[in-house]
Amino acid sequence: GTAPVYFAGRSHELCEAARALQEVRAGAARSILYYGLRGAGKTVLLNMLENMAERMELPSEYIEADEKEAGFRTQLAQAVYRLLHRLDLRQSSPVIQRGFAVWKAFADAQHKAEPGRETPGSDMTGLLLALGQAAQAAECGAVLFVDEIQYCGAEDLEALMTALHRVNQKGYPLL
């Protein structure tokens, strides 16, 4: 993912992403998924978007999924915690405190989870809904960048897509 001198053929994606970041900042969002062959520039694009989010002062976190079993859920829990902390610094509220409680249940469940078996608190949809509600309460939105998503297990990928779909349905400012 080293940025080239000229990033050819991605102006449409950059404009769409800039618009999506503006929408998150304004309180609305929809998820975006970039895919393509190895070396097509997906990581470079995500890095550029992360830089845009930073310039816009949007709380954001970058996750690079790895091949470790159960690694993605742990990475997600860590990223959500950092985002909740940033949102709390902007505007503390009971909704954000509830987000921390949901996060704690999710993080604790990861240590107790048996592969392929849901445990109380291990619900990724609940976690991302709580983050979306916290972002809405802080009136600023939040962004999660997930790179190398192909390393997520099928169950984690399905849970992530389901969670993001529900966040989008609720109109929370989480991208």
Side-chain angles (χ1 to χ4, degrees), residues 101-122:
V102 172
W103 167 82
K104 184 175 182 344
F106 183 86
D108 288 348
Q110 301 322 300
H111 297 293
K112 300 173 189 170
E114 295 176 30
R117 200 165 158 205
E118 284 285 316
T119 59
S122 66

Side-chain angles (χ1 to χ4, degrees), residues 17-101:
R19 186 175 343 195
L21 290 172
Q22 289 288 348
E23 289 172 3
V24 167
R25 195 172 185 197
R30 62 181 174 15
S31 299
I32 301 172
L33 176 67
Y34 296 107
Y35 60 92
L37 297 173
R38 184 176 208 87
K42 299 174 301 293
T43 299
V44 172
L45 181 60
L46 284 182
N47 289 333
M48 294 173 88
L49 300 181
E50 184 180 21
N51 291 338
M52 278 186 209
E54 287 172 6
R55 284 192 301 275
M56 296 171 69
E57 297 182 2
L58 270 169
S60 66
E61 278 296 320
Y62 178 91
I63 299 170
E64 183 168 339
D66 59 33
E67 298 179 73
K68 294 179 189 171
E69 191 167 321
F72 177 71
R73 286 179 182 253
T74 299
Q75 290 176 299
L76 180 64
Q78 292 167 347
V80 167
Y81 177 82
R82 289 188 298 269
L83 283 170
L84 286 168
H85 181 69
R86 286 193 196 120
L87 294 169
D88 193 41
L89 290 174
R90 285 177 173 253
Q91 181 175 328
S92 188
S93 81
V95 174
I96 295 173
Q97 295 312 308
R98 182 185 165 284
F100 278 115

Side-chain angles (χ1 to χ4, degrees), residues 144-156:
L144 273 169
F145 297 102
V146 182
D147 197 8
E148 302 296 344
I149 203 165
Q150 72 272 13
Y151 293 127
C152 291
E155 288 179 16
D156 286 345

